[in-house]
Structures are given as C-alpha cells and as structure tokens.
Amino acid sequence: FGGNYGEAPPPSLNYNFTVDNRTFLHLPIWPDPTPSPPLSNYMSAVTMATWLKSIVLAREDRLNGNVRWEDARDVLYGAEKSSMFPDLQWGGMSISSDVYMQEALNISLIDSLSRGRWRIFSKFGFGFTTVRQRYETTLNSYLCA
C-alpha cells in the first residue's frame, strides 16, 4: 500500500503505452525518486486484509475515517473517464486476472444463491525484496455477495 517502496523499476520501463510496437500515448509525468535505501513494506497478512476490507466497505461504512468512497471506488473499479482506456467499463481490483478465489469456492452455488449479484476484488503482487533477499508473493481478495 503506497507507492515507491521496494525495488526501483527497471530502466526499460517508461511512461509510454504501446500497442503493436506503436506508441499510443505518452504520459507527461516523472516518477517520484526511489528512496535510498528502499522503503520496505512490512505489512502483515492481517493488516493487508484489514485494509482491503476497509476499502471494500468504504461506501457502506461512512463512519470509517480511513478511506473515502471516492478513493476506494478508483481502487476497486478503476478511474472514471480514463485518458488511457476511455471505453473500458471496468478496471482496478474488479478485473484481476487471478482465479484463486473462484477455484477455492463453489462459485456456481454463490452465483445461484446471490442471483448473480456477486463480485470479487483481488490484487496479486510479486517481486524481489533486497531487505529479505528473496522473491515474495501476496494475494489479497475479497468476495462480496
């Protein structure tokens, strides 16, 4: 949670979005400087799950002072009127490519009981940490039905 912690991005990554080897869009922004030494993310699994719950429930839980619904909506569904993807209806954590939650649950039963009114929000992360000298993986998912 939060940006610019961990390893610096490789120099091959830039702010151009390309399709079929053609430049599609150039974003006129520059990255924040990467702190040195890198800031490590020491969030526990419980802390990450608690934050995700706060983000998912921000609309219903108006007493929650941690997350505003307007910000949570961008995280969960992607930014409205995106300059890069103007025709994309869904984005953010609602379109994660992992299917671990669906595989772990009886999604057909959930679909039947909820009459198709369910959604999974998910974020998969993977990367190397120089602090712990290893690759790490994390998956945060939340099912709403």
Side-chain angles (χ1 to χ4, degrees), residues 79-112:
E80 288 186 29
K81 299 178 180 145
S82 167
S83 60
M84 288 183 71
F85 306 102
D87 298 325
L88 186 65
Q89 179 182 3
W90 302 105
M93 291 180 75
S94 69
I95 63 164
S96 183
S97 61
D98 62 80
V99 294
Y100 300 110
M101 178 87 75
Q102 295 91 319
E103 290 293 324
L105 303 171
N106 184 342
I107 243 9
S108 297
L109 178 61
I110 290 170
D111 191 56
S112 174

Side-chain angles (χ1 to χ4, degrees), residues 2-111:
N4 224 13
Y5 59 85
E7 304 303 305
S12 60
L13 293 179
N14 57 39
Y15 287 89
N16 292 317
F17 179 71
T18 59
V19 177
D20 298 329
N21 295 323
R22 295 174 304 157
T23 297
F24 176 70
L25 178 66
H26 180 74
L27 301 177
I29 58 174
W30 297 101
D32 292 331
T34 301
S36 182
L39 301 175
S40 209
N41 185 347
Y42 288 106
M43 293 176 85
S44 70
V46 172
T47 302
M48 286 188 274
T50 301
W51 267 106
L52 180 54
K53 180 181 175 185
S54 293
I55 292 168
V56 170
L57 297 178
R59 182 180 55 192
E60 287 77 14
D61 186 7
R62 296 290 182 182
L63 299 177
N64 177 356
N66 294 323
V67 181
R68 295 181 356 192
W69 170 240
E70 294 77 17
D71 297 326
R73 185 179 55 215
D74 286 349
V75 170
L76 299 174
Y77 296 105
E80 288 186 29
K81 299 178 180 145
S82 167
S83 60
M84 288 183 71
F85 306 102
D87 298 325
L88 186 65
Q89 179 182 3
W90 302 105
M93 291 180 75
S94 69
I95 63 164
S96 183
S97 61
D98 62 80
V99 294
Y100 300 110
M101 178 87 75
Q102 295 91 319
E103 290 293 324
L105 303 171
N106 184 342
I107 243 9
S108 297
L109 178 61
I110 290 170
D111 191 56

Side-chain angles (χ1 to χ4, degrees), residues 127-140:
F128 185 78
T129 168
T130 55
V131 173
R132 290 180 287 284
Q133 292 295 307
R134 63 182 180 212
Y135 287 93
E136 295 180 341
T137 302
T138 185
L139 173 66
N140 287 289

